[in-house]
Amino acid sequence: MTTTRQVPLASPWLDEREEELVLEVLRSGRLSLGPTIDRFEELFAEVVGAPYAAAVSSGTAGLHLLCITAGVGSGDEVITSPYSFVASANCAIYEGASPVFADVDRRTLNLDPAAVEAAITSHTRAVVGVDIYGYPCELDELRALCDRHDLAFIDDACEALGARYKGAPVGSHGASAVFAFYPNKQITTGEGGIVTTHSEEEWRLLRSLRNQGRADSGGWLDHARLGFNYRIDDVRAAIGIGQLEKLDELLAGRAAVAARYNELLGGIDGLELPAADDADHERSWFVYVVALPPGVDRERVIAELDGRGVQTARYLPCIHLQAYMRERYGFREGLCPVAEEMSARTLALPFHPRLGQDDQEYVAGVLRDALTASYSPA
Ligand SMILES: Cc1ncc(COP(=O)(O)O)c(C=O)c1O
């Protein structure tokens, strides 16, 4: 009997080093609020070139906390990208604000600054820029327009650890940013996230908010403000340290896999590959997402690939067209035409730092066949 080759969508790279670091924590008895978290935060801050970092339980928690420190509240509007993960918009809703979606640039799939500017009203409080698929957003333009209109800027860099904008790491430019560590990310802690900031005051507030509103000074049962349990624990921080120690290797592995896909898929007629780096933008490879040629039936491609053991994902559905968004805010098709078109055509292929050349050749071959079989002229 022949078995079909199976190529998973993602796979974390963990080894003996993470096991060793986790064991150290387990044996220390300091499972939470211990020194391993401080070490992880210091290492992370250094890697992204930010003076302060506060680790949290998830990327979503980090975005929520930055909405609070930005003063987002009831009646406010927060502008973000429709072509992102729902947390980029949910973080504002948690604080009683309404999400507003500005369309994206067709090449980068990141917020188009002109569309953001056009979406600003007297209720706008903040802009959440997203570095989608690890490609840096237009940080300078977005921050400049936020300054002009007296808005807060939050960088949702959950997918962008290791990316560089204008030659310097995302996280180092002065904007507060959030990174996430779910197992498909550049580094993982299982679940987890971190907020980087250039303000000591904001950092202290973040540490309090994640820890039930306790102040740095004061007792365990003294609460200075309304807070949350958004803490990470030392076990997860230990995994994070192990991951950061081999960050260069992890990122290089991802870049090599992406380069091979670029070669293997470059000649397929009508298939659009991820935006290339340019002088201002250097991607950190998070996922490998292609846009299928117009006229191709994506569902059929997915089914063909699945039947031959190749896992894919429909990255990313538009946030404004999710059921709860339609019901709550009345969003409909046509609000963000570029995001909607690209969202209907894009597809994530198997991608992780140790994906082998033979697997990639297999994926490319199966994709070619699937595209030929799934072309349905309008
Ligand atoms: C762009 C973006 N924002 C926010 C998040 C939320 O991170 P988490 O899953 O850690 O809450 C993710 C992670 O999937 C993401 O990709």
Side-chain angles (χ1 to χ4, degrees), residues 44 47-49 110 130-137 139 155-173 177-179 186-187 247-248 251 254 277-286:
F44 194 93
V47 163
V48 302
N110 279 324
V130 185
D131 308 303
I132 206 68
Y133 305 150
Y135 200 85
C137 65
L139 205 54
D155 187 0
D156 179 345
C158 285
E159 303 183 353
L161 171 59
R164 297 173 84 82
Y165 176 71
K166 297 195 174 169
V170 165
S172 70
H173 296 266
V178 183
F179 299 83
Q186 286 89 341
I187 70 162
L247 179 64
D248 289 348
L251 295 179
R254 285 176 175 271
D277 290 353
D278 60 23
D280 291 347
H281 309 83
E282 193 182 314
R283 187 195 297 271
S284 165
W285 286 93
F286 162 52

Side-chain angles (χ1 to χ4, degrees), residues 58-60 63 84-85 87-88 130 132 156 158-159 180-182 185 192:
S58 68
T60 305
L63 289 168
S84 183
F85 184 67
S88 309
V130 185
I132 206 68
D156 179 345
C158 285
E159 303 183 353
F181 308 133
Y182 187 73
K185 297 291 194 298

Side-chain angles (χ1 to χ4, degrees), residues 228-248:
F228 306 84
N229 183 349
Y230 280 170
R231 297 187 300 263
I232 199 166
D233 57 68
D234 288 67
V235 175
R236 286 188 281 167
I239 300 172
I241 291 171
Q243 295 272 284
L244 282 181
E245 284 176 358
K246 53 172 166 281
L247 179 64
D248 289 348

